[in-house]
Amino acid sequence: MQQSLNSFADLLRSAERSAVHLEMRDAYAVDNETSGLTAWRAGRRLDPADRRSWWRPWLDLVQEVTGKGVVMRRARIVSEPASEYIRFEHSGTFTNIAAGEEVRWLPRRRASDIALPGNDFWLFDDRVVQFNVFDGDGRWVHTDQVEDAAVAKLCSAAFAAVWERAVAHDEYTV
């Protein structure tokens, strides 16, 4: 399924209690991050005092959704030492947190005994799962949306296990 940012925003806005996201790749090659990664490689870092320079419209959406009481959590399973992309991602994660998202990091070696789905996913209100499928180079390929109770249960259990072991963003160093 091809998905626009607007249709994903509508899906996120439809959450009533929770939206959790599990990321399991060490690198992504998504178009909307290319310029930010290039700037980061050149030494540019986001300024905590300059909220207007942060990733829009995503952070506005996070603030909107968390502002209505939806708990948003993101867990990232990462290899160590961290890839260049993960170091880039880590350096800007304070913006997600400032917008209301909770973020934790789990070293991949600590995830070996957790049953994980084959793709990154979002889980909304423990009932709707959106799998984000990427190719081997980290480019987004398509989205699979599932409303199957067994799949939602698997993803919920996987996320809970990762979240329990993961390290809070402020305590995790790359």
Side-chain angles (χ1 to χ4, degrees), residues 53-93:
S53 70
W54 300 354
W55 186 21
R56 304 288 184 210
W58 171 249
L59 296 172
D60 296 326
L61 179 59
V62 171
Q63 276 190 295
E64 175 188 336
V65 171
T66 58
K68 70 175 192 172
V70 174
V71 175
M72 282 186 69
R73 295 183 298 165
R74 179 184 307 254
R76 294 174 171 144
I77 299 174
V78 296
S79 298
E80 292 179 324
S83 68
E84 176 189 55
Y85 179 86
I86 293 300
R87 293 190 311 272
F88 157 70
E89 197 172 48
H90 187 272
S91 76
T93 295

Side-chain angles (χ1 to χ4, degrees), residues 116-173:
L116 299 167
N119 292 291
D120 291 7
F121 66 85
W122 279 90
L123 174 62
F124 302 94
D125 293 330
D126 289 320
R127 66 173 188 79
V128 177
V129 180
Q130 177 172 296
F131 291 106
N132 293 319
V133 180
F134 296 88
D135 70 13
D137 293 322
R139 291 181 300 256
W140 179 80
V141 175
H142 69 272
T143 297
D144 294 326
Q145 193 169 315
V146 180
E147 291 189 51
D148 178 286
V151 174
K153 184 177 180 180
L154 168 75
C155 292
S156 179
F159 186 87
V162 169
W163 189 258
E164 182 179 314
R165 290 184 191 180
V167 178
H169 174 72
D170 291 342
E171 298 171 14
Y172 185 76
T173 56

Side-chain angles (χ1 to χ4, degrees), residues 28-70:
Y28 295 87
V30 291
D31 292 340
N32 65 349
E33 292 181 341
T34 302
S35 62
L37 180 57
T38 300
W40 181 84
R41 284 177 176 144
R44 180 177 172 267
R45 299 299 182 262
L46 294 175
D47 180 356
D50 184 11
R51 291 178 82 99
R52 289 180 183 232
S53 70
W54 300 354
W55 186 21
R56 304 288 184 210
W58 171 249
L59 296 172
D60 296 326
L61 179 59
V62 171
Q63 276 190 295
E64 175 188 336
V65 171
T66 58
K68 70 175 192 172
V70 174

Side-chain angles (χ1 to χ4, degrees), residues 12-26:
L12 186 54
R13 285 184 181 109
S14 74
E16 297 175 357
R17 296 177 315 282
S18 65
V20 300
H21 187 193
L22 182 61
E23 297 178 356
M24 299 182 282
R25 298 185 56 88
D26 285 323

